[in-house]
């Protein structure tokens, strides 16, 4: 997730809005700023720089209204949004999952040993992933496609460093820049992983419904998997004076942000996730992006 820096960041949302995941954006108190954003299938989440959580959109299974009430001195550190559930952990190391408990999303949440703390979380449609500060990966929830049980085994000298989840497949980066994928593979989102040249390594990953994205340390962007809306093949040409800096994947669309703050979106536009992208004032630039099922979130500054 992106940090907003010293100046207040503006939050933008666009795309599908049938549940208010776009239009019901909350107003922050004047003494708080947006620090993190994440988008689920039909709901949106944001963290302020004071660790306060805001959620809006679809609440059919309590993914909003069942938000745990934290003690006054405890703050949220990271959150993630799934289909009809939400997940987050706090600065006290407590992991919370709320909303739909289908496939044990809430009730089978793992408990960490006392010598471990949560460092990252990710969630798909019906499964969750959690990474600890010493690089151990936990998964729970639906396992119809091996998205939980087929987790790759790492070598003894490797640790997990980054995790993301698509609808039913997962991606993970090791601390040596090796990319692992597992789970549903109907469109090659797992098996068609590109082979990098020997002088490159993966540094950032993103997973859509049935497609995958990866960014290398030399700024090369790769996409593979389902391409029925051009979310893979319509990758834009990078301006000559720019480098790719961030990537995000929605259900059937892709997003990429350059180091100069230029945002590109391609693939499905059925709900305006491409054509409704806001035009920023000349003195603003994009600094962080997040993609939900059919809606997008972005911070500008």
């Amino acid at each position: 997730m992106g940090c907003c820096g010293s100046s207040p960041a503006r939050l933008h949302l666009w795309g599908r809005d049938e549940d208010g995941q776009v239009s019901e954006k909350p107003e922050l108190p004047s003494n708080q700023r947006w620090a993190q954003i994440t988008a689920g299938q039909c709901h949106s989440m944001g963290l302020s720089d004071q660790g306060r959580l805001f959620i809006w959109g679809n609440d059919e299974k309590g993914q909003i209204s069942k938000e745990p009430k934290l003690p006054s001195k405890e703050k949220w550190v990271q959150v993630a949004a799934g289909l009809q559930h939400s997940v987050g952990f706090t600065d006290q190391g407590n992991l919370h999952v709320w909303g739909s408990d289908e496939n044990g999303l809430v009730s089978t949440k793992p408990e960490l040993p006392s010598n471990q703390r949560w460092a990252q979380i990710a969630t798909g449609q019906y499964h969750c992933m959690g990474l600890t500060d010493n690089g151990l990966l936990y998964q729970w929830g639906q396992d119809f496609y091996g998205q939980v049980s087929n987790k790759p085994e790492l070598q003894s000298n490797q640790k997990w460093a980054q995790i993301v989840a698509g609808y039913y497949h997962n991606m993970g980066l090791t601390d040596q820049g090796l990319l692992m994928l597992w789970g549903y593979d109907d469109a090659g989102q797992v098996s068609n992983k590109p082979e990098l040249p020997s002088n490159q390594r993966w540094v950032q990953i993103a997973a859509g419904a049935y497609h995958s994205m990866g960014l290398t340390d030399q700024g090369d962007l790769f996409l593979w998997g389902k391409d029925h809306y051009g979310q893979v093949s319509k990758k834009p040409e990078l301006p000559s004076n720019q480098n790719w800096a961030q990537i995000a994947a929605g259900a059937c669309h892709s997003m990429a942000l350059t180091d100069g703050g230029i945002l590109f979106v391609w693939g499905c536009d059925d709900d305006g996730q491409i054509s409704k992208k806001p035009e920023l004032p000349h003195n603003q630039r994009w600094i962080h992006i997040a993609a939900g099922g059919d809606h997008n979130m972005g911070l500008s500054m």
Side-chain angles (χ1 to χ4, degrees):
M1 298 296 172
C3 182
C4 301
S6 57
S7 300
R10 299 179 182 179
L11 175 59
H12 307 267
L13 299 100
W14 67 101
R16 191 172 185 176
D17 191 36
E18 67 175 276
D19 295 293
Q21 62 264 49
V22 169
S23 57
E24 294 179 4
K25 177 186 73 172
E27 292 298 322
L28 287 185
S30 59
N31 63 339
Q32 296 186 44
R33 298 166 179 171
W34 292 110
Q36 295 179 27
I37 52 175
T38 184
Q41 184 68 26
C42 297
H43 70 293
S44 305
M45 305 176 73
L47 281 185
S48 79
D49 57 356
Q50 295 184 18
R52 183 178 172 187
L53 174 59
F54 298 83
I55 319 175
W56 61 102
N58 184 280
D59 191 35
E60 184 177 350
K61 298 293 185 179
Q63 59 265 45
I64 295 175
S65 56
K66 292 181 180 179
E67 174 198 339
K69 301 305 177 185
L70 301 183
S72 59
K73 294 184 178 180
E74 194 169 0
K75 298 179 180 179
W76 293 102
V77 172
Q78 189 184 351
V79 292
L83 176 62
Q84 292 181 315
H85 67 281
S86 303
V87 57
F89 66 89
T90 74
D91 57 358
Q92 301 300 308
N94 296 316
L95 176 66
H96 299 274
V97 188
W98 63 100
S100 173
D101 191 33
E102 189 168 353
N103 300 286
L105 287 166
V106 176
S107 55
T108 62
K109 174 193 73 176
E111 294 296 326
L112 290 185
S114 59
N115 63 340
Q116 296 181 31
R117 291 178 68 90
W118 295 107
Q120 286 182 46
I121 50 174
T123 184
Q125 293 289 78
Y126 299 104
H127 72 287
C128 295
M129 307 171 70
L131 185 61
T132 71
D133 55 1
N134 57 355
L136 297 179
L137 176 57
Y138 292 82
Q139 300 180 104
W140 65 100
Q142 187 195 79
D143 193 35
F144 289 171
Y145 306 104
Q147 62 264 52
V148 172
S149 58
N150 286 349
K151 178 185 73 175
E153 292 297 323
L154 299 186
Q155 301 296 320
S156 59
N157 63 340
Q158 298 176 340
K159 293 182 179 180
W160 295 104
Q162 187 180 148
I163 53 172
V164 298
Y167 273 16
Y168 308 108
H169 76 288
N170 302 321
M171 305 175 70
L173 279 185
T174 74
D175 55 358
Q176 298 176 14
L178 299 176
L179 174 58
M180 310 283 188
L181 299 99
W182 64 102
Y184 195 44
D185 192 36
D186 68 322
Q189 61 265 47
V190 171
S191 56
N192 288 348
K193 178 186 75 172
E195 290 300 321
L196 293 186
S198 59
N199 63 338
Q200 294 191 44
R201 56 184 285 172
W202 299 102
V203 295
Q204 194 178 147
I205 49 178
Y210 308 106
H211 74 289
S212 304
M213 305 176 68
L215 187 62
T216 76
D217 56 357
Q218 293 191 16
D220 289 330
L221 175 59
F222 295 87
L223 300 97
W224 61 102
K226 199 163 189 175
D227 192 37
H228 56 314
Y229 287 101
Q231 61 264 48
V232 170
S233 58
K234 292 182 179 178
K235 181 182 75 172
E237 290 296 320
L238 184 64
S240 59
N241 61 341
Q242 301 279 312
N243 294 299
W244 296 116
Q246 288 182 42
I247 55 176
C252 301
H253 68 283
S254 303
M255 306 174 70
L257 180 61
T258 74
D259 54 5
I262 301 173
L263 174 59
F264 294 87
V265 190
W266 64 100
C268 181
D269 192 36
D270 287 352
D271 294 283
Q273 52 267 63
I274 297 173
S275 56
K276 291 182 181 178
K277 183 186 75 172
E279 291 297 322
L280 299 182
H282 71 279
N283 61 344
Q284 290 270 313
R285 54 177 283 188
W286 296 101
I287 60 170
H288 187 68
I289 53 175
D294 301 300
H295 75 288
N296 301 319
M297 306 175 70
L299 294 176
S300 72
M301 192 169 62

